[in-house]
Amino acid sequence: MLGANAKSLLTVTALFLLSTAPFGDKAARGQDPANVKSALLPAGSRLRELPLTAVQIRDTFWSPRLEVNRTRTLDHVYKELEATGCIRNFDIAAGKAQAKFGGPWWADSDVYKWIEGASYILAQHPNAQLESRVDELIAKIAAAQQKDGYLDTYVQLNLPDLKWKSLAFNHEMFCAGSLFEAAVAHNQATGKRSLLEVALRLADHLDSTFGPGKQAGIPGHEEVELALVRLYRLTQEKRFLQLAQYFIDSRGQKPSIFERQYEQLAERKVELLGHPMGIKDFYRRFFLVDPAKFDTSYSQDQLPVRQQRVAVGHAVRAMYLYSGMADLVYETGDQGLWEALQSLHDSVTNHRMYVTGGIGPSERNEGFTADYDLPNEDAYQETCASAGMVLWNYRMLKLTGEARYADAMELSLYNALAAGVSLTGDTFCYVTPLASRGDFKRDPWFGVPCCPTTVARFLPALGRYIYSESPDGLWVNLFIAGQVKANLAGKKVTLRQSGNYPWDEKVKLMVEVEAPQEFVLHVRVPGWAAAPDFVVNGERFSPRVVNGYAEISRSWSNGDTIDLTLPMNIQRLEANPQVVYNRSKTALRRGPLIYCLEQVDQEAPLEQIVLPLDAHLEGQYTPGLLGGITLIKGQGLSCPLDDWKNVLYRTVRPANAKPVPVTAVPYCIWGNRGLGKMAVWIDATR
Ligand SMILES: [Zn+2]
């Protein structure tokens, strides 16, 4: 969230090595791996989102997770927000309670994120009790808002003289953005304007404070940009779009707005998460790592965004910035921002991303370091950053209709993000390593609770990513069983999806129409599926594949079916050799899922296991385990370490290897069976 979790100012292990080798399977799809450019679809042809209420999810992977999120996570998060004082802060700011400020200084945002998640749930599962709890919370928020529209309980209570004057440190704009998103979600779910009115007053206040000829400012933690676009889409108020553009275009000034504000600040201490901290120390910690140079790359402020080509700094902030840029491109077709976004996407996915789709290896800045610096045990891979990858790639998909963005979205969703919450829905990863010596566990809450509230707000909105529509038809982006009801050219179309994805390779789509209707069904062909097979109404069909989407254009009749087979061969992955942590190692992938070894499934100690590249592997669906998962079973080797006792180095000799069965489980469910060792990257040789 803000580096508050950082234990030390470690020197970043920078591996300044140059290469352009890509991650993924573009070559398998027939794309030139070196081509990182995408064509921006014309304004009228960009993919559109369907209302959340138009989509139903009824599958075996997500449905149980969504049910746990609705029935357990939401309540758990609310109780923690209450217990830690995050909700009471609004009462204190309204003069209705006397107590110390509770939670981190951006605690307001966590309350707003809870309301956003609750609103998505209300849209899909009306519940009077939940709705009145949301109403009560909104009344508290409204009461805390100042007459001029300003609202940020931390600053109101602790730093009233620093309103908008310490933007890198305070999170006023991050909280404002979270409020706008919650307000839009609440309005769309309930039709009520109570939170929207609060949001509009704050948005007007922001608009009257910042912009050309007004105060200069940008958020230290991005989010308000994409949220202003969202507010614009709901209200059609152009000022909000212009303000988003202003914030995006004002990054990267010399000297930085943050540096100018820093110079105006007096040395003073505030209590942060129970510890005294100097506000200027915060700036020094993140922007003056080299005391001779004020460097604001931590907040993606090192260059104007149009000139940015490499992903830097705090990973969650970067994801929100890039998402906001993509939203602006969607509305304006801005070519300069689009050029930057494509390079940034190449920087992340081909040089700085974990095999799980997570990002941000370093604890020091909770973010990016250097190309190929992707340690496993020390991986930071914050859950909020994994969610951010979904948000950003979804927007890139809507701009291009290119399946590679849906591939990236699916990778982060099913692996890094899904691993961020336990199957019981009440413990979470803040940091999500790719290897563990057995001492890692998820926690019910954190002093910096952004990740639990991210899970609570993200999952109930999952439906928005599955389908899209465009002027010519419907798009299937993700294979999640259920249905979507769309309105194509004024006519109702229902598309039903069934199957047992991601465990089974067969997906069935069925069209329901009132009368025969012509439209194009765009069905994603995942990059990992080498030879997909299409059968339409019982007959083999070879669709034209454009940018990774199969185009099936015909006059659809009621009951027409598409049987799709996405071969889920078990694949051995290797990393670019410049990822030194993974040399001579291999990872396993089946369908969209990345696998790992957990000690609990092995006969040999994990650190002794070797999985030769020619080892026979097979998938085994195991319905009784962890809600039903496909295991990968195979024969590996165990190389005991007995003859290494009291030996650190020796001349090379053959390993004393014995055959041993090896079982791998999906990374997304690791850590649900108690403490134990885990590894995604497995030795292929010893
Ligand atoms: Zn987080």
Side-chain angles (χ1 to χ4, degrees), residues 1 316 382-384 430 450-451 454:
M1 181 75 198
V316 181
E382 183 181 338
T383 297
C384 290
Y430 190 113
C450 52
C451 294
T454 286

Side-chain angles (χ1 to χ4, degrees), residues 36-37 308-311 338-348:
V36 298
K37 299 290 182 191
Q308 294 191 21
R309 294 292 180 267
V310 176
W338 179 235
E339 284 294 317
L341 279 171
Q342 291 173 84
S343 296
L344 291 165
H345 196 269
D346 169 55
S347 169
V348 172

Side-chain angles (χ1 to χ4, degrees), residues 19 21-24 349-351 353-356 372-376 434 571-588 613 680-682 684:
S19 167
F23 171 85
T349 56
N350 294 329
H351 304 85
M353 180 180 77
Y354 283 102
V355 71
T356 51
Y372 311 113
D373 181 28
L374 296 163
N376 294 314
L434 277 78
Q571 297 170 353
R572 306 291 297 262
L573 304 180
E574 60 179 347
N576 183 309
Q578 293 178 94
V579 184
V580 294
Y581 313 94
N582 298 340
R583 281 190 185 165
S584 305
K585 290 179 188 285
T586 177
L588 301 175
L613 290 176
V680 170
W681 289 96
I682 311 155

Side-chain angles (χ1 to χ4, degrees), residues 27-47:
R29 182 183 278 150
Q31 288 180 348
D32 175 1
N35 180 14
V36 298
K37 299 290 182 191
S38 297
L40 187 61
L41 288 169
S45 305
R46 290 172 199 149
L47 275 57

